[in-house]
């Protein structure tokens, strides 16, 4: 019922057709579909992540790969999932979407997320930069993630031959979670592992406020967009 599985299930209705998960990371989605008997392959640019998955379950079909230069034949997959991948590409974003198009069958479906360019992420980036300055770091700023508006995100896929079916504003991590005042009691002391496993839990007041922000200003207070499109 939550990101990202909620959105992958909008396009994958049965086990008919091969799935590619690009940037599979720790394999949450990959392992779910593998466990259900689906034909799924996952890859990640980070070799350590793939090594861990192979050790966790040697039956998984996983490999090291680069979304901008895929080894697969044209039209190999019915579905492609890419959660939290494209916005990590400082260079090669156009190549990545072109490769996504190439390996999908005609009418194949892609479900992808991208970091939103809005009030929420601008504030998040400002807080991150401010905190890094207070630590006294003299290191020059390095690339972290790109942000795109809803129109910029959809235009990239349209330009590369996709037809957009929907774009959803998604609250993966509420901006209010950045402030301990709004967190649930058990989350007052920030712990990334707990936050990821339990979800970014807010207090009752914090959740009400976040719900209001997402109800009235979803495109400004989501932190990612999830796009579903098909290859024309």
């Amino acid at each position: 019922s939550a990101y990202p599985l909620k959105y992958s299930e909008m396009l994958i209705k049965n086990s008919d057709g091969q799935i590619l998960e690009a940037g599979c990371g720790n394999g949450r989605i990959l392992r779910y579909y593998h466990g259900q008997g689906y034909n799924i392959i996952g890859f990640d640019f980070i070799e350590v992540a793939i090594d861990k998955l192979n050790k966790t379950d040697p039956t998984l079909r996983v490999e090291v790969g680069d979304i901008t230069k895929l080894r697969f034949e044209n039209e190999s997959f019915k579905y492609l999932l890419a959660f939290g991948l494209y916005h990590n590409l400082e260079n090669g974003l156009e190549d990545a979407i072109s490769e996504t198009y190439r390996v999908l069958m005609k009418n194949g479906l892609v479900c992808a997320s991208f970091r939103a360019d809005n009030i929420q992420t601008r504030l998040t980036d400002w807080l991150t930069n401010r905190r890094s300055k207070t630590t006294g770091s003299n290191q020059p700023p390095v690339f972290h993630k790109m942000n795109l508006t809803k129109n910029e995100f959809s235009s990239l896929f349209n330009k590369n031959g996709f037809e957009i079916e929907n774009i959803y504003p998604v609250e993966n991590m509420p901006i209010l979670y950045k402030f301990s005042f709004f967190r649930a009691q058990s989350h007052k002391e920030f712990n990334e592992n707990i936050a990821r496993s339990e979800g970014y839990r807010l207090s009752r007041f914090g959740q009400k406020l976040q719900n209001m922000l997402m109800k009235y200003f979803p495109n400004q207070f989501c932190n990612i967009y999830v796009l579903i499109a098909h290859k024309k």
Side-chain angles (χ1 to χ4, degrees):
S1 63
Y3 170 88
L5 185 58
K6 171 182 177 179
Y7 297 94
S8 63
E9 289 193 328
M10 288 181 179
L11 56 152
I12 302 173
K13 305 294 186 184
N14 54 56
S15 59
D16 178 23
Q18 189 166 217
I19 306 165
L20 177 64
E21 187 182 8
C24 59
N26 65 9
R28 287 184 299 165
I29 297 297
L30 176 79
R31 285 181 287 166
Y32 171 80
Y33 282 110
H34 176 74
Q36 300 291 321
Y38 286 66
N39 184 2
I40 185 167
I41 299 173
F43 74 86
D44 202 281
F45 190 72
I46 308 299
E47 188 173 353
V48 172
I50 298 302
D51 288 343
K52 285 182 178 178
L53 285 172
N54 278 321
K55 288 175 183 175
T56 300
D57 184 351
T59 68
L60 293 172
R61 298 170 67 197
V62 291
E63 59 190 64
V64 177
D66 182 349
I67 184 63
T68 67
K69 294 177 288 188
L70 295 174
R71 69 165 182 83
F72 306 107
E73 299 291 329
N74 294 350
E75 301 188 353
S76 296
F77 299 94
K78 186 174 182 179
Y79 308 105
L80 189 145
L81 307 174
F83 297 113
L85 172 63
Y86 296 125
H87 56 220
N88 291 301
L89 300 172
E90 184 177 13
N91 301 301
L93 181 57
E94 290 271 4
D95 290 338
I97 297 174
S98 176
E99 281 289 86
T100 299
Y101 182 88
R102 182 183 67 79
V103 300
L104 276 174
M105 300 174 179
K106 186 176 181 180
N107 295 315
L109 291 158
V110 57
C111 183
S113 66
F114 208 100
R115 200 166 185 255
D117 183 6
N118 59 12
I119 290 173
Q120 155 119 337
T121 48
R122 287 174 206 163
L123 181 55
T124 298
D125 290 343
W126 178 81
L127 286 169
T128 301
N129 291 334
R130 185 169 178 269
R131 286 169 181 168
S132 66
K133 288 177 182 178
T134 60
T135 61
S137 173
N138 293 319
Q139 296 296 319
V142 294
F143 174 78
H144 177 50
K145 291 178 182 177
M146 281 186 294
N147 305 329
L148 290 181
T149 65
K150 186 176 182 179
N151 287 338
E152 287 171 337
F153 190 30
S154 61
S155 293
L156 278 170
F157 280 82
N158 281 327
K159 187 167 63 173
N160 282 277
F162 287 95
E163 186 168 320
I164 310 301
E165 297 194 356
N166 218 326
I167 298 184
Y168 301 91
V170 176
E171 165 208 315
N172 183 30
M173 190 189 87
I175 185 62
L176 297 181
Y177 194 84
K178 291 283 184 180
F179 306 94
S180 61
F181 174 79
F182 295 108
R183 291 185 209 140
Q185 192 61 43
S186 60
H187 284 232
K188 288 296 183 185
E189 185 174 337
F190 180 74
N191 182 303
E192 183 68 26
N193 291 328
I194 292 174
R196 285 182 178 273
S197 62
E198 296 183 2
Y200 297 92
R201 292 185 181 176
L202 298 171
S203 65
R204 186 174 298 178
F205 171 71
Q207 191 60 60
K208 282 185 178 180
L209 181 56
Q210 182 66 26
N211 290 345
M212 286 179 61
L213 293 173
M214 285 300 294
K215 180 178 180 179
Y216 296 107
F217 311 103
N219 288 310
Q220 290 303 323
F221 288 96
C222 64
N223 65 310
I224 55 172
Y225 288 114
V226 175
L227 169 147
I228 293 176
H230 69 266
K231 178 177 176 176
K232 290 190 284 189

